[in-house]
Every structure is written in structure tokens, then in C-alpha cells.
């Protein structure tokens, strides 16, 4: 597929033991310096994409705040259209472009989000077809996307081999917990073959930023 789809960068902060949140869903792993790095990345892409659980658990704004710059379009994967209209992304959608991606079989009442300023894309029968979604986003002029998790969303992108770059911050915490979300969830690969090339390593006080390319 190849280059009419947007360039996809996966960005996350992980603990030393590879988790992106604690077992209770706390994910504030980044230092202020790392947040600045993350927001610099956000301002240089056209869109930021997350899964529904991340919106439900973190209630993020997904904007550029730690640096000056343009907000990317916010894209949320939510096949059933079950997000709370009170979430920050939805309640700010009249000011910041926001796309809710649902499946073709999502209930008709997802249209209620339109009155909140949200654009709806229906893509995939029961589950969201992300390959198809990227083609739709490409046609809309979206050239670069940052995927910011969570672990399930990350898995779908890896599974479909849609990640072009990975920017990972290793934060100086150990989180543990069999139920704590890892960088990549899902069923996982059965063999060790999905490799990336290490392009850059940067040290930020107690954090390490790893930059890989496909
Ligand atoms: N440290 C970090 O950098 C970081 C960043 C982001 C999130 N997090 C943490 O990650 C945790 C949430 O991760 P998570 O794995 O539970 O959930 P997630 O990836 O945020 O959301 C997954 C949900 O998105 C929906 N979805 C629909 N179509 C999808 C598709 N094709 N691909 C992927 N998702 C699709 C699915 O729900 P439906 O089936 O209902 O559609 C799926 O269950 C939170 O605790 C959050 O704090 C950490």
C-alpha cells in the first residue's frame, strides 16, 4: 500500500518494564521535558490517533499545549460509537477538528456527535478496517499521523504493518502487573521477525528516547 496512505509514527512513553499505564490506568509516565518533545511531534503532524479506551480512561485533550503550534486533527477509533459526549475531545470538537471512526454497523445514534462538531467516518463492517481508514485519511490530505495508543490500537497498527516510525520514551519507573497495559497488546506475533532499524537514541535526564524506522 503504499504511499497514498499517510506516514504513521507511533509515539509512547513506557516504563522500564514496557508498560504504558499502571494496572489502575495511570499513564503519567513522561517528564515535562518529554511532554515538550511529544507536543513538538504533535504540532508537526496532520493528525493524532488514539483508541476509545484511552479517551475513556485518560480523558485527554490531544492538543498542542507545551509548545506553540497548530493542533493536529484528533481521530478516535470507537467501532460502536460508545464514547461519552462529555469527554474533553468531544466537548471541544467545535474548536478543534475531531474525527470519530466507527464501524458501518455502529448504531445510527452516533450521528448525535455531529451536533457536537465531530466528523464521523464509517469504515469496516463490525470492526474498524484501519488500512482502509488510512486510505480515506490520505484522500483527505492527511499526510502524517501520530498514533498515541493505547496498547490495543498500537497492536492493530503493528499487525497490519502500518508503522513507519516508532518514538518511544523509556521513563524511569517500574510498573509491573499482569493487568497493566503494555506498549503492544492484542494476541501478539508468534515469531521474532517484526524488526525496526534504530535511527537515534537521546538521553533526557532519567529518560531515554528511542527512535526507530521501518
Ligand atoms: N503511556 C502512553 O504513552 C499511553 C498512551 C496512550 C494510552 N495509554 C494508556 O493505554 C490504556 C488504554 O489502552 P487499551 O489497549 O486498553 O485501549 P486503546 O487502544 O486506547 O483502545 C482500544 C479500543 O479502541 C477501539 N478500536 C476500534 N477499532 C479499532 C482498531 N481497528 N484498532 C484499535 N482499536 C480499535 C476498540 O474498542 P471497540 O471495539 O469498542 O471499538 C478497542 O477496544 C490507558 O490506560 C491509557 O492510559 C498510555
Amino acid at each position: 500500500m503504499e504511499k497514498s496512505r499517510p506516514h504513521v509514527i507511533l509515539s509512547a512513553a513506557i516504563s522500564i518494564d514496557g508498560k504504558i499505564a499502571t494496572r489502575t490506568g495511570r499513564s503519567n509516565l513522561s517528564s515535562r521535558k518529554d511532554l515538550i518533545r511529544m507536543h513538538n511531534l504533535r504540532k508537526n503532524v496532520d493528525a493524532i490517533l488514539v483508541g476509545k479506551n484511552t479517551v475513556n480512561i485518560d480523558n485527554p485533550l490531544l492538543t498542542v499545549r507545551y509548545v506553540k503550534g497548530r493542533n493536529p486533527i484528533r481521530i478516535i477509533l470507537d467501532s460502536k460509537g460508545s464514547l461519552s459526549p462529555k469527554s474533553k475531545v468531544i466537548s471541544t470538537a467545535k474548536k478543534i477538528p475531531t474525527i470519530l471512526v466507527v464501524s458501518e454497523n455502529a448504531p445510527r445514534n452516533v450521528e448525535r456527535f455531529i451536533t457536537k462538531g465531530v466528523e464521523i467516518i464509517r469504515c469496516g463492517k463490525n470492526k474498524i478496517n484501519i488500512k482502509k481508514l488510512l486510505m480515506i485519511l490520505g484522500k483527505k490530505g492527511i499526510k502524517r499521523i501520530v498514533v498515541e495508543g493505547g496498547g490495543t490500537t498500537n497492536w492493530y497498527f503493528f499487525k497490519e504493518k502500518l508503522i513507519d516510525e516508532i518514538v518511544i520514551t523509556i521513563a524511569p519507573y517500574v510498573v509491573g502487573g499482569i493487568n497493566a497495559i503494555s506498549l503492544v497488546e492484542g494476541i501478539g506475533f508468534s515469531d521474532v521477525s517484526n524488526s525496526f532499524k534504530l535511527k537515534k537514541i537521546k538521553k533526557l535526564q532519567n529518560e531515554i528516547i528511542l527512535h526507530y524506522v521501518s
Side-chain angles (χ1 to χ4, degrees):
M1 123 137 210
E2 309 331 318
K3 255 345 206 176
S4 48
R5 71 157 173 88
H7 185 83
V8 179
I9 305 163
L10 182 132
S11 166
I14 66 171
S15 62
I16 294 169
D17 53 330
K19 306 289 188 183
I20 57 170
T22 67
R23 65 188 162 83
T24 55
R26 301 296 301 274
S27 62
N28 51 330
L29 290 159
S30 289
S31 66
R32 187 180 163 81
K33 279 191 176 164
D34 189 49
L35 289 170
I36 291 171
R37 185 228 17 109
M38 218 168 102
H39 285 226
N40 266 316
L41 176 58
R42 284 183 182 180
K43 80 170 191 195
N44 284 310
V45 294
D46 303 305
I48 175 170
L49 180 148
V50 299
K52 170 196 86 178
N53 295 353
T54 293
V55 172
N56 282 343
I57 295 166
D58 297 353
N59 197 13
L61 259 175
L62 305 175
T63 54
V64 175
R65 301 183 304 282
Y66 285 83
V67 294
K68 281 209 172 105
R70 188 181 46 95
N71 288 319
I73 298 170
R74 303 173 299 182
I75 302 171
I76 301 125
L77 304 182
D78 176 17
S79 57
K80 300 175 205 74
S82 61
L83 268 195
S84 162
K86 289 191 181 139
S87 63
K88 288 182 190 165
V89 268
I90 302 296
S91 59
T92 56
K94 282 193 177 145
K95 289 190 198 131
I96 304 154
T98 306
I99 298 175
L100 187 65
V101 186
V102 301
S103 69
E104 283 154 22
N105 287 337
R108 284 283 136 209
N109 72 0
V110 296
E111 311 296 337
R112 71 191 185 282
F113 290 110
I114 294 172
T115 58
K116 303 259 176 200
V118 174
E119 178 181 347
I120 306 281
I121 294 180
R122 287 184 181 264
C123 175
K125 214 164 188 167
N126 294 305
K127 287 271 158 200
I128 294 160
N129 179 333
I130 48 171
K131 272 192 177 170
K132 200 169 151 193
L133 172 65
L134 288 186
M135 299 307 282
I136 294 170
L137 297 175
K139 283 188 188 137
K140 282 179 164 292
I142 293 175
K143 293 190 171 60
R144 280 162 62 83
I145 294 189
V146 65
V147 171
E148 284 196 14
T152 308
T153 299
N154 294 346
W155 162 246
Y156 281 109
F157 277 82
F158 279 114
K159 180 177 165 233
E160 301 290 352
K161 307 225 180 303
L162 293 169
I163 302 288
D164 301 302
E165 289 182 54
I166 305 172
V167 186
I168 295 293
T169 297
I170 303 180
Y173 304 103
V174 171
V175 162
I178 197 165
N179 295 320
I181 305 276
S182 299
L183 175 65
V184 185
E185 290 284 319
I187 191 169
F189 296 108
S190 55
D191 53 11
V192 183
S193 61
N194 195 27
S195 71
F196 286 80
K197 296 179 201 81
L198 183 58
K199 191 176 165 193
K200 203 167 145 193
I201 303 177
K202 191 175 168 192
K203 185 172 175 288
L204 266 191
Q205 285 182 333
N206 292 316
E207 295 166 322
I208 298 172
I209 301 162
L210 300 174
H211 187 174
Y212 291 91
V213 292
S214 63

